[in-house]
Amino acid sequence: MNAPREPIAHDLLAALTAQADEFIAVRRDIHRHPEMGYKEYRTSDLVAEQLQSWGYEVHRGLGGTGVVGTLRRGTGGKSLGLRADMDALPIEEATGLPYSSCQPGIMHACGHDGHTAMLLAAARHIAQQVEFSGTLHLIFQPAEEGLGGARKMMDDGLFRLFPCDAVFAMHNMPGHPQGHLVLRQGPMMASSDYVSIVLEGVGGHGAMPHRAADPVVAGAAIVLGLQSIVARNVDPQQTAVITVGAFNAGVANNVIPHTARLELSVRSLDPQVRELLAQRIQDLVHGQAQSYGVKAQVNYQRGYPVLVNHAGPTELAAAVAEELVGAGRVNRQGPALTGSEDFAFFLQEVPGCYLLIGNGDGQSDGHGACMVHNPGYDFNDRNVAIGSAYWSLLVQRFLSV
Ligand SMILES: [Zn+2]
Ligand SMILES: [Zn+2]
């Protein structure tokens, strides 16, 4: 059942539904031509041309392929940043859809095609029909998938050139009903760190282990030992993940290899837990290696930080969501996720909120219910109208006349 809505939200949804087909076509065009992080040449050309044609002042080059479109209206001194990501993933598409990727091995499997289309749809509507007072910056970022395009845009001066009082971003999420909006104050997405461990032992004959120092046995002990960090060192009320995604050693059954290599993914939802994990992993790896008589080299790389939604902007984001789709379709206590997101870098510098839009959770949602990063996933086009209406209403509420 729909909750009663304010007339403005009703009209807005109607207007953006009326123009949705055009932007669904844009979405499918981007989907057909996916580009990897920092290589979004065609996509950023398309974004820049459209923004320019609607009267936005367009700035290119931040983070390489990043695009910022700016619109100023009235005398208001406030400024708002809305962000969409543009990059695709190294996945071979298996949806069988008519607008499937024409790039072998590359696919929009995270819905960034949809995020870009939703923000473009909002951009045109806002430029042509929305009254506001202040400055609006639409930020189209490259390379969200692991390569830190958000950080790169900031290093290139994003918030110095385009100061924002608040920033918002929206990501689709399969498993939630289509068009429902999900958010939470505080930590919402996890930090993500990468650890490479090289164990150096002494290789030898498999029949004479006493003449070798076996890095395979040491590595096996380390894999098991790492599990004790989550089980025994982290507060049981906190979240932590240590995944050993790769353990490579040796080539033959009768040869003890000289080295072994482990690759870890480490996640947490609290900066202090993140530090604890870093310290304990390094201590444990070195301690275990020493006890097995092998040497360990640990390369600990910091990836994305914990994404923390700020209280004020989260309250506004939730209020706008309820105004648009009704309280019954808004979850203010959404789950924190152990995935990560480089919008976290923006939120370390500027207050704001990251929210999810349900991509579908049932059979009628087809590919929309399939999880992101799966070859069968597709962005749910029914969200183009709702997502763009959401951005339009947020602009009206944040930059009110
Ligand atoms: Zn992704
Ligand atoms: Zn994504």
Side-chain angles (χ1 to χ4, degrees), residues 164-204:
C164 294
D165 294 316
V167 287
F168 295 83
M170 189 190 296
H171 202 295
N172 78 94
M173 192 50 67
H176 294 282
Q178 182 263 322
H180 284 218
L181 296 161
V182 180
L183 68 174
R184 64 181 280 120
Q185 191 197 311
M188 172 118 175
M189 302 286 283
S191 59
S192 173
D193 298 326
Y194 323 101
V195 193
S196 286
I197 300 165
V198 178
L199 301 173
E200 189 187 341
V202 178

Coordinates of all heavy atoms in Angstrom, one line a residue, residues 164-204:
C164 N 31.5 21.6 -1.1 CA 30.2 21.1 -0.8 C 29.9 21.2 0.7 O 30.7 20.8 1.5 CB 30.0 19.7 -1.3 SG 30.2 19.5 -3.1
D165 N 28.7 21.6 1.1 CA 28.3 21.6 2.5 C 27.8 20.2 2.8 O 27.9 19.8 4.0 CB 27.1 22.5 2.7 CG 27.6 24.0 2.5 OD1 28.7 24.3 3.0 OD2 26.8 24.8 1.9
A166 N 27.4 19.4 1.9 CA 27.0 18.0 2.1 C 27.1 17.3 0.8 O 27.0 17.8 -0.3 CB 25.6 17.9 2.7
V167 N 27.4 15.9 0.9 CA 27.4 15.1 -0.3 C 26.5 13.8 -0.1 O 26.4 13.3 1.0 CB 28.9 14.6 -0.7 CG1 29.7 15.8 -1.2 CG2 29.5 14.0 0.5
F168 N 25.9 13.4 -1.2 CA 25.1 12.2 -1.1 C 25.4 11.3 -2.3 O 25.8 11.7 -3.4 CB 23.6 12.6 -1.2 CG 23.1 13.4 0.0 CD1 23.4 14.8 0.0 CD2 22.5 12.8 1.1 CE1 23.0 15.6 1.1 CE2 22.1 13.6 2.2 CZ 22.3 15.0 2.2
A169 N 25.2 10.0 -2.1 CA 25.3 9.0 -3.1 C 24.3 7.9 -2.9 O 23.9 7.6 -1.8 CB 26.7 8.4 -3.2
M170 N 23.9 7.3 -4.0 CA 22.9 6.2 -4.0 C 23.5 5.0 -4.7 O 24.0 5.1 -5.9 CB 21.6 6.7 -4.6 CG 20.5 5.7 -4.4 SD 19.0 6.2 -5.5 CE 18.6 7.8 -4.8
H171 N 23.3 3.8 -4.1 CA 23.7 2.6 -4.8 C 22.6 1.6 -4.8 O 21.9 1.5 -3.8 CB 24.9 1.9 -4.1 CG 25.7 1.0 -5.0 ND1 25.2 -0.2 -5.5 CD2 27.0 1.1 -5.4 CE1 26.1 -0.8 -6.2 NE2 27.2 0.0 -6.2
N172 N 22.3 0.9 -5.9 CA 21.3 -0.1 -6.0 C 21.7 -1.3 -5.2 O 22.9 -1.6 -5.0 CB 21.0 -0.5 -7.4 CG 22.1 -1.4 -7.9 OD1 22.0 -2.6 -7.9 ND2 23.2 -0.9 -8.4
M173 N 20.7 -2.0 -4.7 CA 21.0 -3.3 -3.9 C 20.0 -4.4 -4.1 O 18.8 -4.2 -3.7 CB 21.1 -2.9 -2.4 CG 21.8 -4.0 -1.6 SD 23.3 -4.7 -2.2 CE 24.4 -3.3 -2.1
P174 N 20.4 -5.4 -4.8 CA 19.5 -6.6 -5.0 C 19.2 -7.2 -3.6 O 20.0 -7.0 -2.7 CB 20.3 -7.6 -5.8 CG 21.4 -6.7 -6.5 CD 21.7 -5.6 -5.6
G175 N 18.0 -7.8 -3.5 CA 17.7 -8.4 -2.2 C 16.7 -7.5 -1.4 O 16.1 -7.9 -0.4
H176 N 16.7 -6.2 -1.8 CA 15.7 -5.3 -1.2 C 14.6 -5.0 -2.2 O 14.9 -5.0 -3.4 CB 16.3 -3.9 -0.8 CG 17.3 -4.1 0.3 ND1 17.0 -4.2 1.6 CD2 18.7 -4.1 0.3 CE1 18.1 -4.3 2.4 NE2 19.1 -4.2 1.6
P177 N 13.3 -4.9 -1.8 CA 12.3 -4.6 -2.8 C 12.6 -3.4 -3.7 O 13.1 -2.4 -3.2 CB 11.0 -4.4 -1.9 CG 11.4 -4.9 -0.6 CD 12.9 -4.8 -0.4
Q178 N 12.2 -3.6 -5.0 CA 12.5 -2.6 -6.0 C 12.0 -1.2 -5.5 O 10.8 -1.1 -5.2 CB 12.0 -3.0 -7.3 CG 12.2 -2.0 -8.4 CD 11.1 -1.0 -8.7 OE1 9.9 -1.4 -8.6 NE2 11.4 0.2 -9.0
G179 N 12.8 -0.2 -5.6 CA 12.4 1.2 -5.3 C 12.3 1.5 -3.8 O 12.1 2.7 -3.4
H180 N 12.5 0.5 -2.9 CA 12.6 0.9 -1.5 C 14.0 1.5 -1.2 O 15.0 1.2 -1.8 CB 12.5 -0.4 -0.6 CG 11.1 -0.9 -0.6 ND1 10.5 -1.4 0.6 CD2 10.1 -0.9 -1.5 CE1 9.2 -1.8 0.3 NE2 9.0 -1.5 -0.9
L181 N 14.0 2.4 -0.2 CA 15.2 3.1 0.1 C 15.7 2.7 1.5 O 14.9 2.6 2.4 CB 15.0 4.6 0.0 CG 14.6 5.1 -1.4 CD1 14.0 6.4 -1.5 CD2 15.9 5.1 -2.3
V182 N 17.0 2.4 1.6 CA 17.5 1.8 2.8 C 18.8 2.6 3.2 O 19.6 2.9 2.4 CB 18.0 0.4 2.5 CG1 18.6 -0.3 3.7 CG2 16.8 -0.4 1.9
L183 N 18.8 3.0 4.5 CA 19.9 3.8 4.9 C 20.1 3.6 6.4 O 19.3 2.9 7.1 CB 19.8 5.3 4.6 CG 18.7 6.1 5.2 CD1 18.9 7.6 4.8 CD2 17.3 5.7 4.9
R184 N 21.1 4.1 7.0 CA 21.3 4.1 8.4 C 22.4 5.2 8.8 O 23.2 5.5 8.0 CB 21.8 2.7 8.9 CG 23.2 2.4 8.4 CD 23.7 1.0 8.8 NE 24.2 1.0 10.2 CZ 23.8 0.4 11.2 NH1 22.7 -0.4 11.1 NH2 24.3 0.5 12.4
Q185 N 22.2 5.7 10.0 CA 23.2 6.6 10.5 C 24.4 5.9 11.0 O 24.2 4.7 11.4 CB 22.6 7.5 11.6 CG 23.4 8.7 12.0 CD 23.0 9.2 13.4 OE1 21.8 9.4 13.6 NE2 23.9 9.4 14.3
G186 N 25.6 6.4 10.9 CA 26.8 5.8 11.4 C 27.4 4.9 10.3 O 27.2 5.0 9.1
P187 N 28.2 3.9 10.8 CA 28.9 3.0 9.8 C 27.9 2.2 9.0 O 27.0 1.6 9.5 CB 29.7 2.0 10.7 CG 29.7 2.7 12.1 CD 28.5 3.5 12.2
M188 N 28.1 2.3 7.6 CA 27.2 1.6 6.7 C 27.9 0.6 5.8 O 27.3 -0.4 5.4 CB 26.5 2.7 5.9 CG 25.6 2.2 4.8 SD 23.9 2.6 5.0 CE 23.2 2.0 3.5
M189 N 29.2 1.0 5.5 CA 30.0 0.0 4.6 C 31.3 -0.1 5.3 O 31.8 0.8 6.0 CB 30.2 0.6 3.2 CG 28.9 0.9 2.5 SD 28.0 -0.6 1.9 CE 29.0 -1.0 0.4
A190 N 31.9 -1.3 5.0 CA 33.2 -1.6 5.8 C 34.4 -1.0 5.2 O 34.5 -0.7 4.0 CB 33.3 -3.2 5.8
S191 N 35.5 -1.0 6.0 CA 36.8 -0.7 5.5 C 37.3 -2.0 4.8 O 36.8 -3.1 5.1 CB 37.8 -0.4 6.6 OG 37.8 -1.4 7.5
S192 N 38.2 -1.8 3.8 CA 38.6 -2.9 3.1 C 40.1 -2.8 2.9 O 40.6 -1.9 2.2 CB 37.9 -3.0 1.7 OG 38.5 -4.0 0.9
D193 N 40.9 -3.7 3.4 CA 42.4 -3.7 3.3 C 42.8 -5.0 2.7 O 42.1 -6.0 2.7 CB 43.0 -3.5 4.7 CG 42.6 -2.2 5.4 OD1 42.4 -1.2 4.6 OD2 42.4 -2.2 6.6
Y194 N 44.0 -4.9 2.0 CA 44.5 -6.1 1.3 C 45.9 -6.4 1.9 O 46.7 -5.5 2.1 CB 44.8 -5.7 -0.2 CG 43.7 -4.9 -0.8 CD1 43.9 -3.5 -0.9 CD2 42.4 -5.4 -1.1 CE1 42.9 -2.7 -1.4 CE2 41.5 -4.6 -1.6 CZ 41.7 -3.2 -1.8 OH 40.7 -2.4 -2.3
V195 N 46.1 -7.7 2.1 CA 47.4 -8.1 2.7 C 48.0 -9.2 1.9 O 47.3 -10.2 1.5 CB 47.2 -8.6 4.2 CG1 48.5 -8.8 4.9 CG2 46.2 -7.8 5.0
S196 N 49.2 -9.0 1.5 CA 50.0 -10.0 0.7 C 51.0 -10.5 1.7 O 51.8 -9.8 2.2 CB 50.7 -9.4 -0.5 OG 49.7 -9.2 -1.5
I197 N 51.1 -11.9 1.8 CA 52.1 -12.5 2.7 C 53.0 -13.4 1.9 O 52.4 -14.3 1.2 CB 51.4 -13.2 3.9 CG1 50.5 -12.3 4.7 CG2 52.5 -13.9 4.7 CD1 49.6 -13.0 5.6
V198 N 54.3 -13.2 2.0 CA 55.2 -14.2 1.3 C 56.0 -14.9 2.4 O 56.6 -14.3 3.3 CB 56.2 -13.5 0.4 CG1 57.1 -14.5 -0.2 CG2 55.4 -12.7 -0.7
L199 N 55.9 -16.2 2.4 CA 56.6 -17.0 3.4 C 57.8 -17.6 2.7 O 57.6 -18.3 1.6 CB 55.7 -18.1 3.9 CG 54.5 -17.7 4.7 CD1 53.6 -18.9 5.0 CD2 54.8 -16.9 5.9
E200 N 59.0 -17.4 3.2 CA 60.2 -17.9 2.6 C 60.8 -19.0 3.5 O 61.2 -18.7 4.7 CB 61.2 -16.8 2.4 CG 62.3 -17.3 1.5 CD 63.4 -16.2 1.4 OE1 63.1 -15.0 1.6 OE2 64.6 -16.6 1.1
G201 N 60.8 -20.2 3.0 CA 61.4 -21.3 3.8 C 62.6 -21.8 3.2 O 63.4 -21.0 2.6
V202 N 62.8 -23.1 3.2 CA 63.9 -23.7 2.5 C 63.4 -24.9 1.8 O 62.8 -25.8 2.4 CB 65.0 -24.2 3.5 CG1 66.2 -24.9 2.7 CG2 65.6 -23.1 4.3
G203 N 63.4 -24.9 0.4 CA 62.9 -25.9 -0.4 C 63.7 -27.2 -0.2 O 64.8 -27.2 0.2
G204 N 63.1 -28.3 -0.6 CA 63.8 -29.6 -0.5 C 63.0 -30.8 -1.1 O 61.9 -30.6 -1.7

